[in-house]
Amino acid sequence: MTMRTLLTAAAIISSAIGVQKAPVSPSTNDSSLARPGFTTAQPQLSDEFKSLDQQANPLPPEPWAKADPADSLYRLAREAMARSDWKRAAEIFHSIPQRYPQSAYAGQSMYYEAYSLYRSGGDDDLSNARDRLNELKTRYPSIAKSSDGTTLFTRVCGELAKRGDESCAADISSKAEGTAGDNSSSRVQGRSCPDDGDDNDDRIAALNALLQMDADRAMPILKKVLERRDACSAGLRRKAVFLVSQKRTDETANILMNVARSDPDQDVREQAVFWLSQVPGSTGLLEQILQGNGDENIKEKALFSLSQQSEPRAQQILRDFALRESESSDLREKAIFWLGQRRSSENTEFLRSLYSRLSNEDLKEKILFSLSQQKGAGNDQWLMNIALNPKEDIELRKKALFWAGQNGIAIPQLAQLYDRMNDTDMKEQIIFVLSQRQREPAAIDKMFEIAKNEKDADLRKKAIFWLGQSRDPRVQQFLIDLINK
């Protein structure tokens, strides 16, 4: 996952109506430092760095040396971490190597002291965390390596760089520039290719730290990363695409567009188009993608990105695309969906007009859904008109009726429609729609009436079934009366 996969996941939700992906809030895993524990938030840290640590409270390993003189202190420090009492935890961890330098817990305590100081987040705390990690590398190099001390150091230094520490800024720039170079030495040393979501990898951590730095310093490094073409750089390029999207510069949109056109990795190209959704003024570039790209996945991302643009032109491009018979039904459905998510009189009128011109029932169904999402635009009655039209396909009529019911069409109108209706399928659908409005006494009243007086036994059974799902206090007595009838 990338740093803002939850943002992407918001669009994925729409896959239930035909859209595969879209954004939420930033979140990243911190599995190197996180073991099952307690959720915490750290208000002192920058927002970008908080996301690295909000998933879980990273408890140290369980105590393993009961006879060790520092065992009780280690347990106390661990308990303080469990309570997110970072100051207290740092103090106790600090005392262990000071008082018991030969303790089995000394090296681990130095690492977790640094981590507790990092989570505490004050300027002095961060400086002390950096000092402690440097000391850890000297005194306990094996623990520094196995505990991901390099990654934690990069995070600490990234935060200090944002707060004006020039030595850390230079260190972060140097490490990030290293990711823009040749990756062959990493492969020789047996390191795996980094994934953009692996924030425990010091190469990804170095790129993450660029988020803290100003664009003038970060963008040249990110552009170099995006120029890489070796087999091990795709994860770095995916991370760089996200980071570029967060830097609001005059060249941000063009950089992402260039990646979308030329990067050899499909996922990197798709991510570049997706993140254009967060860059104002990208409408024209996204229109070019829809006009000149044959890749449906890329077009799908472009449709989503257009839906996030505030320019009226973006909505017009979506309307034009929905009309385009040369495009696949799946992509046209997605355009229709996103039009439904942006309420406007232009979109409402367009979708109603498009419905009457279509013969594709899947597309018509998506229009019914999209219009149902635009509350208060008179669409409930428009949907009812579709439901009442005997020339429409019965399944479309039933769906229109359902969405009209969800839109709040008046219960008396539904009740009258049931009494006038001769079509059994539609009467059954009305019963179902009433069952979805069980908090309204009028809906229960109508189902009581159907259960008592409907001549069709199957319809009576449907009404009784749905009444059985209701929590209305009158239902229990009604069912008893039916049983004793």
Side-chain angles (χ1 to χ4, degrees):
M1 288 188 174
T2 56
M3 198 173 192
R4 287 200 171 183
T5 301
L6 290 184
L7 182 62
T8 307
I12 296 178
I13 293 172
S14 61
S15 63
I17 44 271
V19 177
Q20 185 182 352
K21 288 187 178 180
V24 211
S25 307
S27 179
T28 27
N29 295 331
D30 192 16
S31 57
S32 69
L33 308 175
R35 296 177 177 86
F38 297 81
T39 300
T40 63
Q42 178 52 52
Q44 293 97 329
L45 291 176
S46 301
D47 290 342
E48 299 88 345
F49 268 68
K50 281 190 288 183
S51 68
L52 298 172
D53 298 288
Q54 286 177 334
Q55 180 169 336
N57 185 337
L59 293 180
E62 292 280 352
W64 68 90
K66 291 184 179 180
D68 192 285
D71 184 73
S72 60
L73 285 175
Y74 182 83
R75 291 173 185 271
L76 286 173
R78 196 172 185 275
E79 290 173 4
M81 283 191 72
R83 300 192 305 272
S84 300
D85 188 349
W86 304 113
K87 291 282 191 183
R88 179 62 175 159
E91 290 172 2
I92 301 173
F93 280 129
H94 181 76
S95 69
I96 291 175
Q98 295 295 314
R99 295 174 58 185
Y100 307 104
Q102 304 305 315
S103 168
Y105 294 115
Q108 288 281 1
S109 295
M110 191 172 290
Y111 172 81
Y112 281 102
E113 178 195 354
Y115 184 79
S116 297
L117 289 167
Y118 163 64
R119 290 299 299 272
S120 187
D123 290 350
D124 290 341
D125 295 325
L126 290 167
S127 294
N128 289 335
R130 175 180 55 185
D131 294 343
R132 203 63 66 242
L133 289 168
N134 282 327
E135 185 180 354
L136 181 68
K137 285 189 286 186
T138 301
R139 292 179 58 183
Y140 305 98
S142 61
I143 290 178
K145 183 177 181 180
S146 64
S147 298
D148 293 309
T150 301
T151 302
L152 179 56
F153 185 92
T154 301
R155 294 176 182 175
V156 170
C157 222
E159 185 66 24
L160 284 169
K162 183 175 183 179
R163 301 183 188 191
D165 189 299
E166 283 299 323
S167 64
C168 267
D171 182 78
I172 291 300
S173 294
S174 176
K175 288 180 178 177
E177 285 171 357
T179 69
D182 180 71
N183 203 38
S184 59
S185 60
S186 296
R187 294 195 296 273
V188 169
Q189 296 170 12
R191 299 176 70 188
S192 61
C193 296
D195 181 80
D196 61 315
D198 186 6
D199 296 300
N200 307 314
D201 187 291
D202 58 307
R203 294 161 290 183
I204 296 297
L207 288 177
N208 274 333
L210 293 177
L211 200 57
Q212 313 297 309
M213 299 174 66
D214 59 77
D216 289 342
R217 205 163 192 168
M219 288 295 266
I221 299 171
L222 293 171
K223 286 193 284 187
K224 288 181 181 178
V225 173
L226 291 171
E227 290 170 1
R228 288 182 60 167
R229 291 295 181 264
D230 56 281
C232 223
S233 67
L236 296 173
R237 299 200 309 276
R238 284 194 295 271
K239 175 62 70 176
V241 162
F242 163 71
L243 295 170
V244 166
S245 74
Q246 304 305 295
K247 303 294 183 183
R248 296 293 186 259
T249 73
D250 293 340
E251 58 180 342
T252 296
N254 287 328
I255 291 173
L256 294 176
M257 186 65 176
N258 184 59
V259 173
R261 287 171 171 162
S262 63
D263 195 279
D265 184 86
Q266 173 77 12
D267 192 44
V268 175
R269 294 196 301 274
E270 290 182 15
Q271 288 296 307
V273 178
F274 171 79
W275 287 114
L276 279 169
S277 67
Q278 305 300 300
V279 181
S282 299
T283 298
L285 296 176
L286 292 166
E287 183 177 20
Q288 290 178 32
I289 291 172
L290 291 179
Q291 291 174 342
N293 197 301
D295 188 307
E296 290 212 357
N297 290 329
I298 295 289
K299 284 186 174 181
E300 178 189 333
K301 300 298 185 301
L303 291 171
F304 164 75
S305 293
L306 278 168
S307 76
Q308 305 301 296
Q309 297 291 312
S310 59
E311 301 173 44
R313 174 64 182 157
Q315 293 295 301
Q316 183 59 55
I317 294 169
L318 288 174
R319 291 193 289 268
D320 292 343
F321 190 90
L323 284 169
R324 209 178 292 171
E325 294 184 358
S326 59
E327 299 292 347
S328 71
S329 295
D330 187 55
L331 286 174
R332 294 176 73 192
E333 286 176 15
K334 290 172 175 61
I336 288 167
F337 170 78
W338 291 120
L339 287 168
Q341 300 303 298
R342 183 67 66 94
R343 179 179 169 184
S344 71
S345 59
E346 292 86 358
N347 283 352
T348 300
E349 292 172 9
F350 170 79
L351 290 173
R352 291 181 185 179
S353 173
L354 180 60
Y355 183 92
S356 64
R357 298 161 59 181
L358 291 172
S359 58
N360 185 304
E361 291 186 4
D362 289 336
L363 291 174
K364 296 178 82 168
E365 180 182 337
K366 293 302 180 292
I367 291 177
L368 296 177
F369 171 79
S370 288
L371 287 171
S372 76
Q373 302 303 290
Q374 299 184 355
K375 307 288 185 181
N379 287 323
D380 51 351
Q381 193 56 57
W382 183 87
L383 289 165
M384 283 296 289
N385 291 339
I386 298 296
L388 291 170
N389 187 349
K391 295 181 180 179
E392 291 285 352
D393 176 82
I394 186 63
E395 293 302 319
L396 289 173
R397 294 176 65 194
K398 289 164 68 174
K399 288 181 172 67
L401 180 59
F402 171 79
W403 289 119
Q406 295 293 297
N407 247 25
I409 199 77
I411 296 296
Q413 186 174 351
L414 288 170
Q416 293 172 12
L417 177 60
Y418 185 92
D419 294 338
R420 298 197 313 268
M421 185 65 63
N422 294 319
D423 188 293
T424 301
D425 285 340
M426 289 298 291
K427 294 183 83 169
E428 181 178 332
Q429 184 72 350
I430 293 172
I431 294 172
F432 174 70
V433 171
L434 290 169
S435 76
Q436 304 304 296
R437 306 270 292 273
Q438 292 184 15
R439 293 185 179 181
E440 299 175 57
I444 298 296
D445 289 342
K446 184 59 182 178
M447 286 197 289
F448 282 155
E449 179 186 325
I450 294 169
K452 287 180 184 177
N453 304 322
E454 171 61 55
K455 294 179 180 179
D456 187 306
D458 288 335
L459 292 174
R460 289 200 308 273
K461 290 177 184 178
K462 295 288 184 184
I464 292 169
F465 170 81
W466 288 115
L467 285 168
Q469 311 301 306
S470 172
R471 295 185 179 181
D472 190 297
R474 298 172 295 164
V475 169
Q476 184 178 15
Q477 186 59 53
F478 177 79
L479 294 176
I480 291 173
D481 291 344
L482 278 181
I483 293 169
N484 297 327
K485 185 175 178 181

